[in-house]
Amino acid sequence: MSAEATGRRVEDVLDRLAQRDDREVSAAAEELVRVLMDFYGEGLARIMQLLEHGSGDGGPQTALLRDELVSSLLVLHDLHPENTTARIGRALDSVRSRHAAEVAGFDADTGTLRLRSAEAGGCGCPSTTQAAQEAVEAAVGCFAPEVTSVQWEAAGKPEPALLQIASRPPTAATAS
């Protein structure tokens, strides 16, 4: 595959669409090409930036896999070196400082990920919980797009402290 041949093929397809009577379809196709070019261009720029400015701990591969955009491009083309479980963990790690969640299970056949909310933080308002869940789900969508649905389980409530009740020590009246 060459860049020149691919460019010609894209132009041919856009020309065929432009010859149709439906201008709206042609405009949508051109917009799609622009959006994809922007997406891939940003991904390539991010790769170059991460490689150029050092990779920190773990080397260049770790730096690339930590980046949501680069990671999503690798997954999209089935090039990501990590399995689904590792990528789900990476997604949760990326938001864990703000929104704690843990994996309760993943069904690869249905794409269903079960997550458990960690201890509630903030005010405990439903809107806060929903925002946290949406942030976690967005991260999982970037790192592990094979997850097609997320089911939330309530965080386990801490058990109440066990109160030991013993008989009263003997008093002077009962000691005799």
Side-chain angles (χ1 to χ4, degrees), residues 4 7 38 40 42-43 67 70 76-77 87 114 136 139 141 154 163 169:
E4 184 179 338
D38 290 347
Y40 281 95
E42 178 64 27
D67 186 272
V70 173
L76 182 64
H77 293 283
R87 288 185 282 108
R114 289 182 302 109
V136 169
L163 179 60

Side-chain angles (χ1 to χ4, degrees), residues 26-150:
S26 180
E30 287 184 35
E31 181 181 359
L32 176 62
V33 169
R34 276 193 302 278
V35 168
L36 288 173
M37 294 294 292
D38 290 347
F39 178 64
Y40 281 95
E42 178 64 27
L44 290 170
R46 192 86 56 89
I47 289 169
M48 295 307 295
Q49 179 184 25
L50 288 168
L51 291 175
E52 181 180 330
H53 291 92
S55 53
D57 295 338
Q61 183 178 18
T62 301
L64 294 172
L65 298 181
R66 234 183 258 137
D67 186 272
E68 287 183 26
L69 177 59
V70 173
S71 184
S72 66
L73 283 169
L74 292 172
V75 169
L76 182 64
H77 293 283
D78 201 23
L79 297 171
H80 205 290
E82 296 177 325
N83 64 25
T84 303
T85 303
R87 288 185 282 108
I88 290 170
R90 189 177 293 278
L92 296 178
D93 288 345
S94 75
V95 295
R96 192 160 275 136
S97 65
R98 298 177 313 274
H99 313 292
E102 56 189 45
V103 176
F106 175 64
D107 183 348
D109 294 332
T110 64
T112 302
L113 175 64
R114 289 182 302 109
L115 293 175
R116 186 174 304 114
S117 303
E119 292 301 318
C123 65
C125 303
S127 62
T128 303
T129 301
Q130 183 176 354
Q133 289 177 351
E134 288 172 2
V136 169
E137 290 173 19
V140 169
C142 286
F143 284 97
E146 59 268 49
V147 173
T148 57
S149 68
V150 177

Side-chain angles (χ1 to χ4, degrees), residues 2-23:
S2 75
E4 184 179 338
T6 302
R8 277 198 305 267
R9 187 171 172 206
V10 168
E11 285 181 20
D12 289 344
V13 171
L14 290 175
D15 287 344
R16 284 197 326 252
L17 286 168
Q19 291 171 2
R20 296 181 55 136
D21 291 335
D22 193 344
R23 294 284 174 212

